[in-house]
Amino acid sequence: QVQVVESGGGLVQPGGSLRLSCAASGSIFSINAMGWYRQAPGKQRELVATITNSGTTKYADSVKGRFTISRDTARKSVYLQMNSLKPEDTAVYFCNANVQELLRFRYLEVWGQGTLVTVSS
């Protein structure tokens, strides 16, 4: 079984910063990519940023220049540094991992439970 667990959400004022963390655990053979998605109230889940096992990153236009995704391969972890936060960044942020599991080498898409980020004065 493979799982990912997020941490680091909270309340922050506009213009402030937060750092989200996500760690994958379980029977993992390899991790192909990890990323962050978010879902604001009444809206669909959207991509925020992803990073592949080769280090290639992708960002939503709305967060380019403000958010930075990084990873720690040894810790099977991914991070999202969020700067210059805006009220429209308020959402539940979900970690996603595309992994190959160890037992049958199946490819799995694993989601975390989400962590709430609220940007408000």
Side-chain angles (χ1 to χ4, degrees), residues 11-59:
L11 173 64
V12 63
Q13 292 187 341
S17 299
L18 274 178
R19 185 176 188 248
L20 304 183
S21 300
C22 171
S25 62
S27 301
I28 298 172
F29 176 72
S30 66
I31 297 177
N32 301 312
M34 294 185 76
W36 292 95
Y37 293 72
R38 68 186 181 186
Q39 187 167 17
K43 295 188 176 182
Q44 290 189 331
R45 191 175 297 189
E46 62 177 4
L47 179 147
V48 176
T50 59
I51 185 166
T52 68
N53 59 359
S54 61
T56 301
T57 59
K58 179 180 179 180
Y59 293 93

Side-chain angles (χ1 to χ4, degrees), residues 28-106:
I28 298 172
F29 176 72
S30 66
I31 297 177
N32 301 312
M34 294 185 76
W36 292 95
Y37 293 72
R38 68 186 181 186
Q39 187 167 17
K43 295 188 176 182
Q44 290 189 331
R45 191 175 297 189
E46 62 177 4
L47 179 147
V48 176
T50 59
I51 185 166
T52 68
N53 59 359
S54 61
T56 301
T57 59
K58 179 180 179 180
Y59 293 93
D61 288 342
S62 59
V63 306
K64 283 181 181 176
R66 299 189 297 123
F67 291 10
T68 302
I69 189 169
S70 61
R71 64 189 175 133
D72 184 329
T73 303
R75 295 178 184 270
K76 298 184 178 66
S77 296
V78 65
Y79 310 96
L80 187 68
Q81 179 65 44
M82 305 184 292
N83 299 328
S84 303
L85 282 160
K86 304 175 181 179
E88 50 264 44
D89 294 317
T90 295
V92 177
Y93 284 69
F94 296 90
C95 180
N96 170 272
N98 183 288
V99 308
Q100 189 174 17
E101 55 89 20
L102 189 59
L103 184 60
R104 299 178 183 175
F105 298 100
R106 296 173 301 172

